[in-house]
């Protein structure tokens, strides 16, 4: 299978051009076609030689994804289900924010971290996405808007779709370089957020990259007992180890971190737990921010439900009393399969159900009984 040219940073594309005996400026032309003109094929790059177009076609594809489903919500959220070249499915979400268009990208097919509340973790990781497959999600969402011709541009990215981005480190880093490139999409690093479940050593690597991208940590519990019971990654990198890495990150980058905290009713949302959370983040009070996130119920995880508004309010008040910077996050797309991983898992379920129905119908036609049908 040929890789997508979207997976090459501008410097890697320049190297490829030089290795193929072409002049350096050809790389700049191709980059322009890809990210400024946003063409869909090499044939459309009309200022390149036939020979170079043939070479590009032999080596790369432009867009490796096929759009399977698009769901548009009343609040303008758009959810895309894309098919990868090997038939696997991923999802991407576009949210309309007051500050612009924000895209949530997927980095892996499934996720091995297996958090107990998450739809993505229901399916073990099948594979990492290539850098080109991650960039292509942004390009296809941008195309959706280009086709509507209202001049709207994707301005923000959150790496919060299916998968653990720091477990697909190199491809995610290349993706960040491509979308941030000032001669291409030029999406500002400060407009990009990478979210991690807390792979401590990779947080340090990320700090050393010298990028201005925001880092969000999925914390979800203020102590090891609770965190280990809902996020098994905490057994590998317990809170003390995670916080050491976060403090190093802050020191190395001088940047603030965001903590994500899903509000799970009567699990992690007590006032006492709010106090523990305030105490835990005390040393980095001015350099951290806490997002309280409404839980999107996942049918397979019915032990969890959304915190009541009263519990959220009491939790929030206790944090505020301690001087914590925090907000309750706005929700998007609640009328479509909104939770991270849900469109994909629900589509797979529907596909399986449709398949079963087809098999049952065929069997019925052939006169074979099936008690499950
Ligand atoms: N694997 C990374 C990034 C993807 S998950 C991480 O865990 O950070 C992005 C965010 O969505 C995480 O904070 C995750 O905990 C949260 N999330 C997962 N399932 C959710 C659900 N059902 N409702 C609300 N948030 C959820
Ligand atoms: Fe994976 Fe993040 Fe979901 Fe945990 S919350 S299972 S790390 S995608």
């Amino acid at each position: 299978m040929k890789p997508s040219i979207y997976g090459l940073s501008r410097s890697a594309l320049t190297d490829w051009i030089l290795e193929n005996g072409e002049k350096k400026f050809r790389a700049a032309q191709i980059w322009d076609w890809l990210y400024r003109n946003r063409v869909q094929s090499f044939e459309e790059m009309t200022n390149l030689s036939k020979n170079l177009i043939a070479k590009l076609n032999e080596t790369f594809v432009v867009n490796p994804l096929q759009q399977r489903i698009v769901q548009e919500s009343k609040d303008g959220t758009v959810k895309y289900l894309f098919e990868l070249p090997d038939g696997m499915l991923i999802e991407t979400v576009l949210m309309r924010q007051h500050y612009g268009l924000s895209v949530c990208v997927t980095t892996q097919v499934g996720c091995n971290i297996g958090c107990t509340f998450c739809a993505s973790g229901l399916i073990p990781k099948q594979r990492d996405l290539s850098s080109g497959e991650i960039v292509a999600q942004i390009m296809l969402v941008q195309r959706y808007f280009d086709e509507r011709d209202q001049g709207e541009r994707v301005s923000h990215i959150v790496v919060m779709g299916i998968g653990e981005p720091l477990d697909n480190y190199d491809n995610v880093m290349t993706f960040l370089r491509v979308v941030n490139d000032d001669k291409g999409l030029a999406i500002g690093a400060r407009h990009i957020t990478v979210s991690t479940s807390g792979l401590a050593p990779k947080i340090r690597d990320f700090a050393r990259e010298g990028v201005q991208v925001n880092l969000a940590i999925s914390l979800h519990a203020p102590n090891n007992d609770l965190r280990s019971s809902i996020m098994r990654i905490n057994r590998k990198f317990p809170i003390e180890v995670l916080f050491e890495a976060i403090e190093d990150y802050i020191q190395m980058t001088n940047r603030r971190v965001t903590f994500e905290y899903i509000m799970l009713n009567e699990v992690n949302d007590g006032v006492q737990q709010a106090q523990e959370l305030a105490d835990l983040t005390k040393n980095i009070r001015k350099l951290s921010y806490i997002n309280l996130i409404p839980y999107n119920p996942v049918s397979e995880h019915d032990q969890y439900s959304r915190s009541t508004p009263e519990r959220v309010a009491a939790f929030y008040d206790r944090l505020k009393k301690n001087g914590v910077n925090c907000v309750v996050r706005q929700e998007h797309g609640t009328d479509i399969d909104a939770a991270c991983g849900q469109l994909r898992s629900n589509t797979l379920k529907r596909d399986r159900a449709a398949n079963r129905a087809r098999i049952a119908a065929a069997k019925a036609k052939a006169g074979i009984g099936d008690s499950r049908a």
Side-chain angles (χ1 to χ4, degrees), residues 108 110-122 160-165 195-198 218 220 230-231 233 262 340:
Q108 299 180 316
C111 182
N112 273 348
I113 309 291
C115 304
T116 55
F117 46 79
C118 174
S120 306
L122 289 169
M160 293 191 183
I162 301 168
E164 167 50 55
S195 172
T196 177
S197 58
S218 293
H220 308 324
I230 63 177
M231 298 177 75
I233 190 72
I262 305 182
C340 145

Side-chain angles (χ1 to χ4, degrees), residues 44-284:
E44 291 165 78
M45 302 184 174
T46 47
N47 53 5
L48 305 185
S49 68
K50 285 221 161 59
N51 187 27
L52 177 54
I53 291 176
K55 250 190 266 174
L56 285 163
N57 269 321
E58 270 164 37
T59 320
F60 303 109
V61 296
V62 177
N63 165 31
L65 304 181
Q66 276 191 44
Q67 196 166 290
R68 276 268 306 262
I69 297 179
V70 182
Q71 286 184 355
E72 204 160 341
S73 145
K74 287 188 212 88
D75 65 7
T77 303
V78 189
K79 197 137 186 172
Y80 305 83
L81 191 76
F82 294 129
E83 188 173 329
L84 302 171
D86 53 6
M88 300 208 181
L89 300 174
I90 58 163
E91 62 183 57
T92 305
V93 183
L94 175 280
M95 291 160 288
R96 248 175 216 289
Q97 309 279 14
H98 62 91
Y99 46 76
L101 296 181
S102 174
V103 178
C104 176
V105 293
T106 283
T107 54
Q108 299 180 316
V109 184
C111 182
N112 273 348
I113 309 291
C115 304
T116 55
F117 46 79
C118 174
S120 306
L122 289 169
I123 304 135
K125 181 175 95 175
Q126 318 280 303
R127 70 170 172 89
D128 287 329
L129 292 199
S130 66
S131 46
E133 289 166 337
I134 311 175
V135 174
Q137 296 170 56
I138 303 293
M139 298 309 292
L140 285 183
V141 174
Q142 184 58 57
R143 173 148 53 120
Y144 181 87
F145 287 93
D146 289 346
E147 282 167 356
R148 276 153 191 75
D149 216 21
Q150 290 159 353
E152 286 185 290
R153 296 283 314 279
V154 171
S155 57
H156 290 68
I157 296 175
V158 289
V159 186
M160 293 191 183
I162 301 168
E164 167 50 55
L166 298 190
D167 181 42
N168 184 12
Y169 189 89
D170 292 341
N171 291 339
V172 168
M173 286 313 304
T174 304
F175 157 74
L176 295 174
R177 295 214 165 82
V178 172
V179 294
N180 178 232
D181 191 289
D182 57 1
K183 296 209 160 54
L185 295 176
I187 299 174
R190 289 186 162 81
H191 288 186
I192 304 176
T193 301
V194 171
S195 172
T196 177
S197 58
L199 309 190
K202 299 284 183 185
I203 291 175
R204 285 202 182 82
D205 292 346
F206 192 65
R208 286 189 202 100
E209 296 283 348
V211 291
Q212 302 294 309
V213 169
N214 305 307
L215 182 65
I217 313 284
S218 293
L219 189 59
H220 308 324
N223 59 57
N224 280 325
D225 277 355
L226 182 58
R227 193 162 190 269
S228 294
S229 76
I230 63 177
M231 298 177 75
R232 62 167 190 242
I233 190 72
N234 195 67
R235 294 177 206 158
K236 198 161 173 198
F237 304 115
I239 286 183
E240 312 75 71
V241 175
L242 175 60
F243 271 71
E244 262 175 43
I246 293 170
E247 282 169 26
D248 286 352
Y249 170 89
I250 292 175
Q251 212 175 15
M252 282 193 258
T253 62
N254 226 345
R255 297 188 61 74
R256 297 210 302 182
V257 296
T258 302
F259 290 105
E260 292 160 282
Y261 198 98
I262 305 182
M263 301 296 289
L264 301 167
N265 199 40
E266 305 205 355
V267 174
N268 65 353
D269 64 346
V271 171
Q272 185 48 40
Q273 286 151 328
Q275 187 58 50
E276 273 183 82
L277 180 57
D279 295 343
L280 179 64
T281 51
K282 199 167 172 188
N283 289 342
I284 50 173

Side-chain angles (χ1 to χ4, degrees), residues 316-333:
Y316 175 85
D317 285 349
R318 178 56 72 98
L319 291 180
K320 280 284 172 198
K321 265 203 196 99
N322 282 271
V324 173
N325 299 311
C326 63
V327 287
V328 179
R329 192 196 272 166
Q330 284 261 322
E331 282 189 279
H332 294 275

